[in-house]
Amino acid sequence: MFERFRAFLEGITGSARIEAGDPRIAVIGLCFQVMEADGAVRSSERRKMRKLIKEHYKLDDAALNALVAAGESAESEAIDFYQFTSDIKRHLPEEQRIELVGMLWEIVYADGARSEMEDHVIWRIADLLGVSGRDRVLKRQEAAAKIDMVEENEAQQES
């Protein structure tokens, strides 16, 4: 009875309940580790991450904020990638892990540049997730192509 009442209240208030061990926390933790790889977390990267997470998990703003806060907190306590990748590997099938690598590449390209450190971090994460080098490179190329398409569309709109 109490559980149904709590669920009812959460539905009314829109509050987001984030449980320990939620693999989405690990996903966001990895996003922050990728954003920090080049030494600076840019607002464009943060906006891209929030947009991708919101769309992928179909979250409202309150749930997104709660999840991002939980992921950022978990990342600040993490000592390596393994903590997150092992959790994700247990919970997500291969195709979703490959999509996650694509999401990480989109975050890398959000600031318009890709650094050697970002390459290395994603290579290491993909390896720990069991994502092949081929899939990692394909996802990088897809993310880069999206940036090129956006730039082309913006240039055409300005003309």
Side-chain angles (χ1 to χ4, degrees):
M1 169 103 167
F2 177 72
E3 189 65 31
R4 282 190 288 160
F5 181 68
R6 188 177 44 75
F8 171 75
L9 287 177
E10 286 176 357
I12 291 173
T13 62
S15 66
R17 188 173 137 189
I18 309 296
E19 306 256 343
D22 186 330
R24 299 175 303 173
I25 294 171
V27 167
I28 292 175
L30 288 179
C31 291
F32 275 104
Q33 289 182 328
V34 167
M35 287 189 288
E36 293 171 352
D38 63 359
V41 177
R42 291 172 179 77
S43 60
S44 57
E45 294 169 325
R46 194 177 272 273
R47 279 192 309 274
K48 177 58 103 173
M49 179 203 59
R50 291 178 62 84
K51 179 180 184 282
L52 292 169
I53 295 295
K54 185 175 186 173
E55 290 172 359
H56 184 77
Y57 293 115
K58 298 172 180 43
L59 301 171
D60 62 21
D61 288 337
L64 176 65
N65 291 338
L67 194 57
V68 168
E72 191 168 15
S73 176
E75 190 279 329
S76 70
E77 297 171 9
I79 56 172
D80 60 13
F81 305 129
Y82 184 76
Q83 171 184 339
F84 299 129
T85 57
S86 62
D87 191 30
I88 290 168
K89 201 168 180 183
R90 276 193 311 273
H91 289 95
L92 300 182
E94 181 181 20
E95 69 265 3
Q96 289 181 356
R97 295 191 314 261
I98 293 169
E99 289 305 312
L100 171 57
V101 170
M103 184 186 303
L104 296 175
W105 280 120
E106 286 190 52
I107 292 167
V108 163
Y109 282 109
D111 64 1
R114 179 180 115 221
S115 76
E116 188 176 315
M117 287 304 298
E118 290 167 326
D119 280 344
H120 177 74
V121 166
I122 292 184
W123 167 77
R124 186 71 185 124
I125 289 170
D127 188 50
L128 289 169
L129 289 174
V131 173
S132 72
R134 179 181 182 279
D135 287 331
R136 175 177 46 85
V137 170
L138 286 172
K139 289 299 176 183
R140 184 195 61 190
Q141 291 169 340
E142 288 173 13
K146 284 180 184 178
I147 295 298
D148 290 341
M149 287 187 292
V150 168
E151 289 175 356
E152 286 177 21
N153 289 337
E154 288 173 355
Q156 288 175 357
Q157 290 174 353
E158 290 177 1
S159 303

